[in-house]
């Protein structure tokens, strides 16, 4: 069975762009995960714990044969492989991967809550998610998510960093070499 999930990515430790690229590249290597769409990259003001560097955030859409718990394990493994260290809750991280939505299921286990419990109050999640899927709703909800975004007072804290080029590839530029790295081909 093929499942559709939306994953939120964030990084606020250098090199932020490369961290996002490497996480996406690691996920794309899995035979069980196909990346089918992705947002632009946004630079965002930290929320929750504000005394830290600005983040780069984006959202990707995946098609996967993994269950939600297997997908979480895969995300945690990528975070581990990229050397993520948890010091302060909501503090600086080189990479953070969150399952935002998994099919249109409500999931609650000891280790996994989907939809992500804070996504509806985070412009840094909703703006890239709605870029991919403008009419998306939370499971069992009539209200489209864009209406929840309109209710979030401060959206200034989310600014385009690298617009998805709309072509058939999403090109990330390494800050040093400035050579595009083809990360994904849109299916
Ligand atoms: N939807 C989800 N996506 C990812 N992790 C989740 C989710 N729901 C629960 N978790 C659990 O949260 C744990 C801690 O996640 P993490 O330290 O990355 O939180 P955070 O990203 O800093 O904060 P937030 O959850 O507010 O984004 C993970 O080990 C995982 O077991
Ligand atoms: N702008 C921004 N702020 C955050 C972020 C994030 O990804 N972007 N992640 C957090 C914990 O998951 C807490 N605060």
């Amino acid at each position: 069975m093929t499942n559709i999930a939306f994953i939120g990515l964030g990084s606020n430790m250098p090199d932020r762009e490369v961290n996002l690229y490497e996480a996406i590249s690691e996920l794309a290597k899995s035979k069980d995960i196909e990346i089918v769409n992705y947002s632009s990259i946004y630079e965002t003001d930290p929320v929750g714990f504000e005394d830290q560097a600005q983040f780069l955030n984006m959202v990707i859409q995946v098609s996967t044969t993994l269950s939600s718990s297997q997908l979480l394990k895969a995300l945690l493994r990528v975070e581990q492989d990229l050397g993520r260290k948890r010091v302060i809750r909501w503090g600086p991280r080189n990479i953070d991967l969150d399952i935002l939505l998994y099919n249109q299921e409500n999931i609650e286990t000891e280790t996994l809550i989907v939809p992500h419990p804070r996504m509806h109050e985070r412009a840094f999640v909703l703006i890239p998610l709605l870029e991919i899927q403008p009419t998306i709703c939370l499971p069992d909800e009539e209200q489209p998510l864009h209406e929840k975004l309109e209710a979030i007072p401060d959206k200034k804290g989310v600014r385009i960093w690298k617009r998805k080029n709309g072509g058939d590839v999403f090109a990330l530029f390494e800050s040093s070499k400035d050579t595009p790295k083809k990360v994904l081909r849109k299916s």
Side-chain angles (χ1 to χ4, degrees), residues 110-122:
E110 276 181 23
T111 56
L112 182 62
I113 302 173
V114 179
H116 186 287
R118 286 166 286 284
M119 65 176 283
H120 63 283
E121 58 199 25
R122 291 175 165 177

Side-chain angles (χ1 to χ4, degrees), residues 10 44-47 55 57 90 93 96 98 122 124:
T44 66
D45 297 339
V47 299
F55 283 78
N57 286 108
W90 294 339
R93 66 278 311 274
D96 177 34
D98 290 334
R122 291 175 165 177
F124 68 78

Side-chain angles (χ1 to χ4, degrees), residues 97-127:
L97 302 172
D98 290 334
I99 301 177
L100 304 175
L101 296 164
Y102 184 88
N103 296 329
Q104 279 299 85
E105 297 177 25
N106 286 304
I107 301 164
E108 187 152 354
T109 70
E110 276 181 23
T111 56
L112 182 62
I113 302 173
V114 179
H116 186 287
R118 286 166 286 284
M119 65 176 283
H120 63 283
E121 58 199 25
R122 291 175 165 177
F124 68 78
V125 170
L126 293 182
I127 289 173

Side-chain angles (χ1 to χ4, degrees), residues 22-42:
E22 287 183 348
I24 294 173
S25 179
E26 283 302 300
L27 289 172
K29 284 177 188 168
S30 165
K31 64 176 174 40
D32 304 311
I33 299 173
E34 183 192 349
I35 296 166
V36 294
N37 208 341
Y38 41 91
S39 72
S40 301
I41 299 175
Y42 293 83

